Amino acid sequence: MVLTIMLWIATIMTFAQNVTVTGTVLDEQEVPLPGVTITVVGSTRGVITDVDGFYSIEAKSTDQLLFSFVGLESQTITIGNKKVLNVTLAEKIDELDEVTVVAFATQKKESIIGSITTINPNELKVPSSNLTTAIAGRISGVISYQRSGEPGQDNADFFIRGVTSFGYKKDPLILIDGIESSSTDLARLQTDDIASFSIMKDATATSLYGSRAANGVILIKTKEGKEGKAKISFRVENFVSMPTKNVELADPITYMKMHNEAVLTRDP
């Protein structure tokens, strides 16, 4: 009986002895990740991967290793009888969706205190070839009105939260891919080419652009090429324009007769 207990204790001690676990941590593109933290769950022991994503740590076979990195999903893996443990960390989709454009960079949405509105480019696909008329009524704080329907002069005038400067420039600062553009450039931009459309409204959000952005900023980023198979997409639009009533016009002979009658009637 005593011998059986001693053998059982020896087996447990052998199973739970320290082992050296090595491996490489990669991302979803199979690129080595330097700076990944590997810690033994329930203790303060841990290591960090080197520039090649390699790590080496001593732990018991019953321990669990926690792999964590900023922006990536953490993983907890039990060592067991493994001595080589390669891990692939996936991106945190929920955090990547909460990124907001600020000036010429991006910032986490939860750290933004300024008023910034982002609209889905698909909502701008309306039966109109002029993008300035498409934003009317779709973005809070933006007032848009069209003065004329004359071809070539049908751009809509718009302002963000009123006008705060006079004399120099009253309309918002429009940046397309970081380049200052006019309202005509915005009007002729195709919605299918837009990747993101953001409106900066208050001084906190527009301060990085200086005094030119006193009346708000419109940030537009167009689509870029991506690695992979070629894709072809197209959109067809058609419309018919006609007057509600046609004016009846007289032919030349009838016009001359009516003219002669008018002359005789007014000056016999």
Side-chain angles (χ1 to χ4, degrees):
M1 182 66 179
V2 175
L3 180 61
T4 303
I5 294 175
M6 291 179 64
L7 290 174
W8 180 68
I9 294 174
T11 303
I12 295 176
M13 292 178 64
T14 302
F15 181 74
Q17 66 182 353
N18 287 350
V19 295
T20 301
V21 181
T22 60
T24 305
V25 183
L26 309 174
D27 61 8
E28 291 180 314
Q29 283 73 39
E30 298 185 354
V31 177
L33 289 172
V36 178
T37 303
I38 301 100
T39 57
V40 178
V41 178
S43 70
T44 58
R45 289 183 294 115
V47 295
I48 297 176
T49 56
D50 59 14
V51 293
D52 297 321
F54 179 81
Y55 72 94
S56 176
I57 187 173
E58 287 189 1
K60 296 179 181 180
S61 56
T62 56
D63 288 337
Q64 291 182 324
L65 297 182
L66 174 62
F67 298 81
S68 58
F69 191 76
V70 177
L72 301 178
E73 295 284 354
S74 300
Q75 287 193 32
T76 302
I77 302 175
T78 303
I79 296 175
N81 58 356
K82 305 182 187 73
K83 292 186 178 180
V84 178
L85 193 57
N86 297 324
V87 179
T88 300
L89 299 181
E91 294 179 343
K92 286 185 178 180
I93 304 300
D94 55 343
E95 287 191 7
L96 293 177
D97 289 340
E98 297 298 317
V99 173
T100 301
V101 178
V102 287
F104 300 97
T106 57
Q107 188 172 337
K108 291 294 182 181
K109 190 173 182 179
E110 58 267 19
S111 62
I112 296 295
I113 59 176
S115 179
I116 302 176
T117 299
T118 301
I119 184 173
N120 189 337
N122 291 329
E123 298 181 13
L124 298 175
K125 293 182 180 180
V126 297
S128 173
S129 59
N130 195 320
L131 185 60
T132 59
T133 61
I135 64 177
R138 286 176 170 80
I139 305 175
S140 61
V142 177
I143 307 299
S144 176
Y145 52 94
Q146 190 175 10
R147 297 177 182 271
S148 171
E150 179 184 352
Q153 304 293 330
D154 56 346
N155 291 351
D157 294 328
F158 52 90
F159 53 85
I160 301 172
R161 290 188 175 180
V163 179
T164 57
S165 63
F166 299 91
Y168 168 56
K169 202 72 172 174
K170 298 181 181 179
D171 55 340
L173 173 64
I174 302 173
L175 293 176
I176 302 177
D177 289 333
I179 301 175
E180 183 174 354
S181 306
S182 64
S183 59
T184 302
D185 297 327
L186 175 63
R188 302 296 173 252
L189 187 64
Q190 296 296 322
T191 55
D192 296 298
D193 297 333
I194 299 175
S196 63
F197 193 104
S198 301
I199 304 288
M200 293 185 173
K201 303 175 184 178
D202 62 357
T204 304
T206 62
S207 59
L208 296 174
Y209 296 96
S211 59
R212 175 62 183 86
N215 294 307
V217 179
I218 297 179
L219 285 180
I220 299 175
K221 185 177 181 181
T222 58
K223 294 180 180 178
E224 300 177 350
K226 296 181 179 179
E227 184 177 354
K229 296 182 179 180
K231 293 183 179 180
I232 299 176
S233 60
F234 63 92
R235 180 164 59 100
V236 179
E237 292 184 359
N238 188 21
F239 65 93
V240 177
S241 178
M242 59 182 300
T244 57
K245 183 178 180 180
N246 293 325
V247 179
E248 295 182 3
L249 301 177
D251 58 85
I253 296 178
T254 303
Y255 179 82
M256 287 190 301
K257 291 181 178 179
M258 300 299 293
H259 176 73
N260 292 336
E261 291 181 8
V263 172
L264 292 174
T265 301
R266 289 173 174 76
D267 188 10

